[in-house]
């Protein structure tokens, strides 16, 4: 049985073939233009799922990299501020050492006072510094609040909080990008231990200074007063008073190699006070509880002592205390800078990790999504040749009519 194919059907088949060839050429041209093998999910459904996952991970890594850049800028501002604080502390220390010199003229001490005031103002300005975004560096989470202000009495108040900002640099990794101003400037470890000395009760010829003052009972919150008195034979005795009491809780012969140690029978008091220098009869030292000190107060004390006569034993002992405080403050700032350096190193590590992961994901995504140019060009040439052949066949078919032979 002979099957008859109508001219219309034959024409439709040839037209469909030409359109398929043209579509294949257009698709290959689009792939060559974009460099992508997959234009839609339908081109390769299995590979499309994987590429979407890769792209999501790449977007997340990009966010982490931006967070790392922002954190690096903030930590850079913080490190600069801490370095500046170290410089102010060191400069103040040099001035105070010069002021301890008893031979210094009054004009020199006045000049030193002006320089100390300038250093104090510089430290205040630095403590209120802002980063490139206008955020106060040492305000904790209160970034819009000026953290340090002086009240009417000249005492520095902290208006920030004890929080710190963080940056998320990986799925479960964060880095602190700020430090609380209170912890940086107002909670520096007391170099003497658990008490802060008050030398207002020293005699004119006294050279007394404090080495350490510690307690082994955290529940003991009392202040203490040590008075050095004559035992009746010209030797030095000590009397230890608690708080504002007028009756000593203990007394005894003073031995500089032992200091003053006291434990009560109830187990509520356990003290160890160590002094140095030439102690005079009648010297008194008050020891107030305090495990930390305020750097601004220390600098204000140095300014106050610059107004005292160079022969003042209180000023001499107070300035020595200032030097001890400044030494402790310098170490404190250095530790703070070390924390910043550790966080900066952490940022560098995770930035490198993200770059490696990003490269790996990009390669994996490219192997699924990107076009093989050599293969695509070969396919394009083959499709164009097939297209030309189909066009020629179509043109030849159109000429197959009986009218050509009449």
């Amino acid at each position: 049985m002979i099957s008859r194919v109508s001219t219309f059907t034959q024409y439709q088949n040839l037209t469909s073939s030409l359109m398929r060839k043209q579509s294949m050429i257009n698709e290959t041209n689009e792939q060559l233009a974009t460099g992508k093998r997959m234009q839609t999910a339908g081109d390769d459904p299995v590979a499309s799922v994987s590429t979407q996952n890769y792209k999501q991970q790449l977007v997340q890594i990009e966010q982490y990299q931006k967070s790392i850049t922002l954190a690096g800028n903030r930590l850079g501002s913080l490190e600069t501020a801490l370095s500046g604080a170290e410089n102010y502390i060191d400069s103040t220390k040099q001035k105070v050492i010069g002021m301890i010199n008893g031979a210094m003229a009054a004009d020199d001490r006045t000049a030193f006072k002006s320089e100390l005031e300038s250093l104090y103002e510089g430290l205040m300005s630095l403590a209120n510094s802002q980063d490139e975004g206008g955020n106060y560096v040492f305000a904790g989470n209160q970034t819009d609040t000026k953290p340090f202000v002086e009240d009417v009495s000249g005492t520095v108040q902290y208006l920030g909080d004890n929080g710190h900002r963080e940056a998320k640099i990986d799925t479960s990794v964060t880095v602190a990008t700020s430090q609380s101003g209170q912890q940086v400037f107002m909670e520096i470890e007391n170099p003497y231990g658990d008490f802060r000395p008050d030398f207002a009760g020293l005699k004119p010829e006294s050279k007394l200074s404090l080495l350490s003052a510690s307690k082994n009972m955290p529940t003991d919150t009392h202040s203490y007063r040590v008075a050095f008195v004559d035992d009746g034979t010209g030797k030095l005795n000590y009397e230890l008073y608690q708080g504002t009491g007028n009756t000593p809780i203990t007394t005894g012969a003073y031995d500089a190699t032992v200091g003053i140690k006291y434990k009560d029978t109830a187990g509520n008091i356990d003290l160890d006070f160590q002094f140095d220098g030439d102690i005079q009869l009648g010297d008194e030292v008050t020891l107030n509880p305090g495990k930390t000190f305020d750097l601004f107060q220390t600098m204000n004390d140095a300014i106050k002592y610059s107004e005292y006569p160079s022969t003042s034993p209180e000023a001499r002992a107070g300035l020595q205390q200032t030097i001890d405080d400044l030494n402790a403050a310098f170490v404190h700032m250095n530790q703070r800078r070390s924390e910043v350096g550790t966080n900066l190193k952490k940022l560098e590590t995770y930035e490198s990790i993200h770059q490696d992961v990003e490269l790996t994901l990009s390669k994996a995504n490219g192997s699924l999504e990107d076009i093989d140019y050599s293969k695509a060009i070969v396919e394009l040439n083959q499709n164009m040749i097939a297209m030309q052949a189909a066009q020629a066949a179509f043109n030849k078919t159109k000429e197959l009519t009986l009218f050509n032979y009449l």
Side-chain angles (χ1 to χ4, degrees), residues 78-126:
L78 179 58
E79 184 178 35
T80 299
L82 292 173
S83 177
E86 286 183 347
N87 292 334
Y88 280 116
I89 290 169
D90 187 60
S91 297
T92 302
K93 176 184 172 182
Q94 300 307 316
K95 298 302 177 185
V96 173
I97 289 174
M99 288 171 60
I100 291 180
N101 183 0
M104 181 178 291
D107 290 344
D108 293 331
R109 294 176 72 87
T110 300
F112 272 38
K113 177 186 176 182
S114 297
E115 293 179 14
L116 286 172
E117 289 174 340
S118 178
L119 290 169
Y120 170 80
E121 291 171 0
L123 183 67
M124 276 287 291
S125 177
L126 182 145

Side-chain angles (χ1 to χ4, degrees), residues 260-306:
I260 298 174
K261 301 178 186 292
Y262 174 70
K263 291 183 181 181
D264 69 339
T265 56
N268 296 321
I269 303 174
D270 188 352
L271 306 173
D272 185 352
F273 300 152
Q274 301 293 321
F275 299 93
D276 191 21
D278 186 9
I279 300 174
Q280 300 295 309
L281 291 173
D283 278 348
E284 289 190 4
V285 179
T286 300
L287 299 165
N288 299 305
K291 295 183 72 66
T292 62
F293 69 90
D294 175 352
L295 179 58
F296 298 110
Q297 185 60 52
T298 292
M299 294 187 72
N300 267 324
D301 286 344
I303 294 171
K304 177 186 72 174
Y305 289 131
S306 68

Side-chain angles (χ1 to χ4, degrees), residues 179-216:
Q179 295 182 5
S180 162
Q182 182 164 336
Q183 294 172 349
V184 172
F185 297 100
M186 308 183 84
E187 292 182 355
I188 304 173
E189 185 176 355
N190 178 10
Y192 299 121
D194 302 310
F195 294 89
R196 302 286 293 165
D198 180 349
F199 298 109
L202 297 185
K203 293 300 180 181
E205 300 301 321
S206 176
K207 296 295 189 293
L208 179 149
S209 61
L210 180 66
L211 292 177
S212 65
S214 61
K215 60 182 179 181
N216 292 322

Side-chain angles (χ1 to χ4, degrees), residues 314-329:
E314 179 186 351
R316 184 204 57 76
L319 290 173
Q320 182 58 55
Q321 176 187 353
T322 298
I323 292 175
D324 294 337
D325 284 350
L326 293 173
N327 285 334

Side-chain angles (χ1 to χ4, degrees), residues 21 27 63 147 178 223 250 262 280 289 297 379:
K21 296 296 182 183
E27 182 180 348
Q63 293 300 317
S178 68
S223 62
T250 186
Y262 174 70
Q280 300 295 309
Q297 185 60 52
E379 289 179 356

Side-chain angles (χ1 to χ4, degrees), residues 42 44 73 102 116 147 156 193 240 256 265 271 282 308 315 321 349 355 367 370 375 384 396:
D44 190 339
N73 292 338
L116 286 172
V156 176
L240 180 63
T265 56
L271 306 173
Y308 283 44
Q321 176 187 353
T349 299
Q355 288 173 348
S367 66
D370 294 346
K375 183 179 178 181
M384 291 184 69
K396 197 69 175 175

Side-chain angles (χ1 to χ4, degrees), residues 210-232:
L210 180 66
L211 292 177
S212 65
S214 61
K215 60 182 179 181
N216 292 322
M217 298 301 298
T219 55
D220 181 7
T221 59
H222 295 94
S223 62
Y224 292 90
R225 178 167 55 90
V226 178
F228 294 94
V229 297
D230 190 339
D231 69 348

